[in-house]
Amino acid sequence: VTDPEFRFDRLRGEWTLIVGDRQRRPNQPAGACPFCVGGLEAPQPYSVKAFPNRWPPLVPGEPVDAFTDAGARPSAADSHPDAFERALGRGAAEIVLYSPDHRASLGSLGVDAVREIVDVWAARTAELLARPEVASVLVFENRGAPVGATIEHPHGQIYAFPFVPPAQRREAAALASTPGGFAAVIEAEIEAAERIIFLGDGVVSWVPFASPDPYGVLIAPNVAAPDLPALDGSQRDALAAAIVDTVSRYDALFATPLPYLMWIHQAPTDTLRTGHEHVHLHFAPPWRAPQVARYYAAGEVGSGIPSNPIAPEAAAAALRAVNPEPAA
Ligand SMILES: [Zn+2]
Ligand SMILES: [Zn+2]
């Protein structure tokens, strides 16, 4: 049995998380759903529930030196002299059950129930960020068998990292050199209007101008807030409404539950904030057409340049055209 560990990849100049032991996880839980009330992970009634992952790739504990030195935040090649540098997979991994209803989804639950999920995401973010070994919290969901979700019951996950992950660091750097930051990007999309899906009271969703993903959608408050805990009640209600709108449109788009990856980018712990953070959600479906997977091909992976087969304007028009009413 090996603990999860970070290994420093000298080609990427970034950490890789090695979680070989997780290969022994059961692909399908034996017997009843573990997330239904009375199941292994939910013995008591609940409405929304967060709990530690039974097979965590990141584990709580004391801070690890490798991540507290300046070299790891952000990583710099010359601060990693060891050929085989490794460090404990420190952090946290949690599961968030969205509903006791096995058949529910973020599209069908309704705004009040999704608001309750937003509140749990925010509370877990605040609690995890307060831990000394945690630098950054990623809320996310893999929905559907095509993206590897092994349990159908509606749920998401949370990873707490001991450093700011590269995707967030690169995004923060790009936005820092964007005049007006993310708020200006959002303002420009609202003004252009053709890619907007949902314009709520303080929250907007849209297909980004240069979306790397077919039918990719971003959701953000149009007034900057660094993270979920910073959102007030009305912003959380509006965020919940935008999430329900997005997923119900997704499910209507091809008349079947659309698989997707969803993740929330938010500010890291206080000492690592740049002041430009602006919380937002990414939705990235893996399909380019019904049941047709969009693979990242060698030309894309090898170049680092995604090629999106669906024009963002066409994706936005298709998503606006569907009936967003959630199925009863
Ligand atoms: Zn279930
Ligand atoms: Zn982002």
Side-chain angles (χ1 to χ4, degrees):
V1 175
T2 53
D3 289 328
E5 66 178 16
F6 285 104
R7 294 185 183 183
F8 196 77
D9 178 354
R10 303 190 120 194
L11 281 185
R12 288 163 41 247
E14 303 285 359
W15 297 97
T16 299
L17 185 55
I18 305 291
V19 290
D21 207 40
R22 279 162 56 91
Q23 291 294 355
R24 297 189 314 175
R25 283 185 310 169
N27 277 334
Q28 293 290 339
C33 172
F35 297 162
C36 277
V37 173
L40 177 67
E41 305 286 12
Q44 302 300 325
Y46 68 93
S47 54
V48 180
K49 175 185 165 75
F51 58 94
N53 191 325
R54 195 174 285 269
W55 292 277
L58 297 157
V59 294
E62 293 297 309
V64 171
D65 283 349
F67 307 125
T68 52
D69 68 21
R73 305 173 163 181
S75 61
D78 63 359
S79 68
H80 296 274
D82 296 342
F84 302 117
E85 183 175 0
R86 64 178 75 203
L88 186 60
R90 182 66 81 216
E94 300 189 347
I95 306 288
V96 180
L97 305 185
Y98 293 165
S99 163
D101 179 357
H102 190 86
R103 297 272 164 220
S105 77
L106 289 180
S108 74
L109 277 169
V111 174
D112 290 348
V114 174
R115 162 66 197 271
E116 198 182 338
I117 298 167
V118 171
D119 286 341
V120 168
W121 287 339
R124 295 313 304 151
T125 296
E127 203 280 333
L128 291 166
L129 275 184
R131 297 183 186 177
E133 74 273 25
V134 170
S136 181
V137 173
L138 186 73
V139 174
F140 66 97
E141 178 185 355
N142 300 307
R143 187 222 206 181
V147 293
T150 51
I151 299 175
E152 188 180 44
H153 196 111
H155 70 285
Q157 301 184 55
I158 299 176
Y159 283 174
F161 291 96
F163 53 88
V164 182
Q168 278 183 266
R169 215 167 47 232
R170 278 194 294 270
E171 211 178 64
L175 288 170
S177 62
T178 300
F182 201 44
V185 173
I186 295 167
E187 198 177 316
E189 289 285 9
I190 292 173
E191 196 171 325
E194 62 181 335
R195 287 172 298 274
I196 299 292
I197 307 298
F198 177 93
L199 196 49
D201 186 14
V203 169
V204 60
S205 76
W206 72 103
V207 179
F209 171 68
S211 177
D213 306 296
Y215 304 103
V217 166
L218 287 176
I219 302 176
N222 47 19
V223 175
D227 57 10
L228 292 170
L231 297 177
D232 66 23
S234 68
Q235 286 174 307
R236 292 182 190 197
D237 284 339
L239 180 60
I243 292 169
V244 169
D245 181 80
T246 301
V247 177
S248 54
R249 285 179 191 280
Y250 275 166
D251 291 352
L253 182 64
F254 300 140
T256 189
L258 185 65
Y260 62 73
L261 309 179
M262 183 278 286
W263 62 96
I264 302 177
H265 278 153
Q266 47 184 342
T269 196
D270 286 350
T271 54
L272 297 172
R273 294 187 181 194
T274 65
H276 299 292
E277 287 87 359
H278 189 142
V279 62
H280 57 278
L281 281 75
H282 291 255
F283 276 94
W287 285 359
R288 59 204 299 262
Q291 311 292 338
V292 180
R294 177 276 172 88
Y295 292 106
Y296 278 98
E300 296 170 88
V301 176
S303 67
I305 303 172
S307 96
N308 180 351
I310 309 287
E313 294 74 24
L319 287 168
R320 278 198 304 267
V322 298
N323 178 358
E325 291 304 315

